[in-house]
Amino acid sequence: VRARGYYDRQAQVRVVNGLASLNLIMVPYAEPGGMRIVLSWAARPYDCDLWVANGLPPVGDVNFAVFWGQPNNPPSIDASLDGVQLDRDSQLGWGPETVTVRNTTAPTTLRVGVNVYG
């Protein structure tokens, strides 16, 4: 599967009894020097949440993170997360949830976590 501006994905499809199923995630390119974090899962659990926080010890308050309740971290809370944002919050199974990390001039260590809901 290909689309301009998106990462390519190749997959092998197996057909059983005339049926085939394939779930693909189309993810746009990250800007040069940046990265994209992608979380996908099966139909169950219905909701998984991607969290990104400053990865340097000590582990800080989880409120100083990018997640569904705070998709764009205000710079006044934790400047190390400037340029980190949750692009998509999926709540109905399969995902994806994506976080974009924009190019930064300073070295950055991030902690990535997943919170699983029923």
Side-chain angles (χ1 to χ4, degrees), residues 52-117:
V52 178
N54 184 331
L56 298 175
V59 176
D61 186 332
V62 295
N63 289 318
F64 302 150
V66 171
F67 65 106
W68 66 268
Q70 189 166 277
N72 300 304
N73 191 65
S76 60
I77 292 178
D78 189 339
S80 70
L81 294 174
D82 286 357
V84 179
Q85 81 176 43
L86 177 69
D87 303 309
R88 183 169 192 276
D89 178 35
S90 177
Q91 301 174 352
L92 299 175
W94 301 103
E97 294 212 356
T98 62
V99 169
T100 296
V101 180
R102 299 209 180 333
N103 188 11
T104 179
T105 56
T108 303
T109 301
L110 299 173
R111 184 178 309 264
V112 177
V114 176
N115 194 358
V116 178
Y117 293 94

Side-chain angles (χ1 to χ4, degrees), residues 34-53:
M35 72 173 157
R36 185 150 291 117
I37 302 166
V38 180
L39 170 67
S40 63
W41 59 95
R44 294 280 179 130
Y46 291 121
D47 190 13
C48 291
D49 285 325
L50 187 58
W51 288 60
V52 178

